[in-house]
Amino acid sequence: MLVTLALLLAAAPASARSATLLVLGDSLSAEYGLPRDSGWVKLLADRIAHEAPQYSVVNASISGDTTSGGRARLGQLLERHHPAVVIIELGANDGLRGLSVEAMRANLQTMIDACRGHGARVLLVGIHVPPNYGTVYGERFYAVYGDLARRNHLAEVPFLLDGFADRLEWFQADRMHPLPQAQPTMLGNVWPHLQPLLEPAARVH
């Protein structure tokens, strides 16, 4: 089941905002199976309202989305929202379906190029996948994020679920989607890498 979240999650008055942060993700960012407004992106919007109120947050995450899907819809999102910063949190569904690692790499690179073509700074979010397709596949899959970050001089979140991936009690029954108590940790994994991109002096490399 696809759950679409394309919500404006800003708490600051419109007159006080001058920039948009776009989150392009999958179910890990779309509050899949969670109570409304309990996901890490909503927590991010709340934090930004206090610490970087010049930004509004748009969550364009869709449960079940792949890098191919994100690539297909990114252009329209860039034209509509003109974001200053884009968080790309995609790839997990590619890995769960055993899709081509090289195709995933190409899709992510195209999205990075599109964001930069619109003058947006990019934060790439890494994810590990279960060993369904073997250790070699999993290693090649995960290596894509670090390699793209290095080649493109990007800020990177090494692993969105760092700190609790082995704590099954923090996951829903499917053992893939984190529960509400995990969401602050997810934000904690993102924030140190995102914060420098929100500074007025930040520039696209």
Side-chain angles (χ1 to χ4, degrees):
M1 177 180 180
L2 297 183
V3 181
T4 303
L5 279 181
L7 304 175
L8 188 63
L9 296 172
S15 60
R17 300 194 300 268
S18 60
T20 297
L21 188 160
L22 176 69
V23 181
L24 183 68
D26 50 36
S27 57
L28 295 174
S29 301
E31 293 190 339
Y32 177 85
L34 298 177
R36 181 75 176 271
D37 293 339
S38 64
W40 75 266
V41 179
K42 178 56 168 66
L43 301 180
L44 170 64
D46 292 343
R47 184 163 186 173
I48 282 181
H50 292 286
E51 300 192 28
Q54 71 272 25
Y55 282 89
S56 58
V57 177
V58 173
N59 190 357
S61 300
I62 297 178
S63 292
D65 206 8
T66 61
T67 57
S68 177
R71 173 179 176 172
R73 60 196 182 90
L74 177 58
Q76 183 178 10
L77 291 167
L78 293 173
E79 292 293 338
R80 178 179 179 183
H81 299 291
H82 303 286
V85 178
V86 179
I87 299 176
I88 300 176
E89 181 276 299
L90 286 170
N93 289 302
D94 297 61
L96 291 173
R97 298 174 190 179
L99 301 181
S100 165
V101 172
E102 290 310 311
M104 182 187 82
R105 178 193 296 273
N107 289 333
L108 289 171
Q109 184 65 63
T110 297
M111 286 187 274
I112 291 165
D113 292 342
C115 291
R116 287 184 156 175
H118 278 72
R121 300 180 287 278
V122 177
L123 176 62
L124 186 62
V125 179
I127 192 74
H128 288 282
V129 291
N132 301 35
Y133 299 97
T135 302
V136 173
Y137 179 88
E139 291 176 348
R140 289 181 56 233
F141 172 91
Y142 179 67
V144 166
Y145 296 101
D147 185 57
L148 287 176
R150 287 188 296 273
R151 289 174 181 268
N152 293 278
H153 306 288
L154 294 180
E156 178 199 10
V157 177
F159 182 32
L160 183 60
L161 309 184
D162 190 34
F164 67 91
D166 59 347
R167 300 185 63 175
L168 294 182
E169 70 273 17
W170 278 31
F171 286 84
Q172 298 175 41
D174 60 15
R175 299 188 177 184
M176 291 189 295
H177 294 95
L179 289 165
Q181 60 260 40
Q183 303 301 312
T185 300
M186 295 167 72
L187 174 58
N189 290 334
V190 171
W191 184 255
H193 306 281
L194 173 64
Q195 189 175 25
L197 302 184
L198 305 178
E199 299 297 328
R203 293 289 184 270
V204 176
H205 295 288

